[in-house]
Every structure is written in structure tokens, then in C-alpha cells.
Amino acid sequence: MPETDPWEYSLYIPNDLRAVTVSRRTLRLVLTMHGLIRLVDVAELLATELITNAVRHTKGPAALRIRWSPPGTLRIGAWDADPGPPEPPAAFGRVEELEEGRGLALVRACADVWGWHPLARHGNRGKYVWCELASA
């Protein structure tokens, strides 16, 4: 049974593609421990796409953020140090055969809602790309 109290986790990662696997496994563990196993498969896909974009398309560190908001919204986000907007997702039908460039199309197709916004904090700039899944 999912918890009724909100919670949030942040995992700061280096600019290293191996961090994508660490992020995915951490997400799986967090969701399992909070009784949200039914969201794991889709959440892993979404987190993988967001973190992969953050690591591949920027030069600095990144972070995976996971937030649960009762009564049933899971927000998955990736922060990176590049304040520029992400490439707009193409229509999924046009990218399904491609090996690259389909990350945000998958996010748009699988998440209930997604978005991004620039961030500026303590003189550091970047962006936050996020998506949400409803548990019901």
C-alpha cells in the first residue's frame, strides 16, 4: 500500500553514462520500498530517458529527483547544468524506428504530463525536465 505522506529523493550523479543504470536501480528500490511496485516499469523507462538526456547532452553533473504527492502522483525529474530548453519531442510514430532521438517522445507517450523549466540557484544555472505518473 502506498504511503499517504509525501516524500522526495534526490540522487546527484556525475556526467557518466553508467550513472543512468545507478539511477534506474535506485528508482526501482525507492518505489519498491514505498509500495509502488506497479509503477516501477514505466517509471524506470521515463527516468532512463530523462537521465540519459541530461548526461548525453550536457557536460556537467545531473540529478534524478523522485517525489510522491498523495493521493497518488509520482513526479520523476532530471536536473542538468544546461539552461537551454530540451529539443521538442517528435511525434512518436516518426521516431519509433530510430536508435536515438526518441527519449522525450517516449516520455510524452508514457507519462500523464511532462514539462521543463529553467533553474537558477546560488549563481548556478540549469534546467529541470520532469514528468508525472498517476498511481490510479
Side-chain angles (χ1 to χ4, degrees), residues 93-105:
R94 291 189 289 167
V95 297
E96 63 186 8
E97 300 295 323
L98 298 177
E99 300 245 348
E100 292 184 1
R102 60 183 184 181
L104 285 179

Side-chain angles (χ1 to χ4, degrees), residues 15-90:
N15 190 285
D16 184 330
L17 282 174
R18 293 173 292 191
V20 175
T21 300
V22 172
S23 298
R24 187 174 52 245
R25 290 180 180 168
T26 301
L27 173 71
R28 176 175 282 276
L29 179 61
V30 167
L31 294 180
T32 300
M33 296 303 295
H34 283 283
L36 296 168
I37 192 73
R38 69 186 173 284
L39 298 178
V40 167
D41 291 335
V42 174
E44 275 187 324
L45 171 69
L46 297 171
T48 297
E49 297 302 333
L50 294 176
I51 291 295
T52 298
N53 283 348
V55 172
R56 290 183 93 188
H57 300 295
T58 67
K59 295 185 185 333
L64 171 68
R65 294 186 178 148
I66 312 161
R67 184 177 74 203
W68 172 254
S69 299
T73 302
L74 178 68
R75 178 174 276 204
I76 302 164
W79 167 83
D80 66 53
D82 181 357
E87 290 291 323

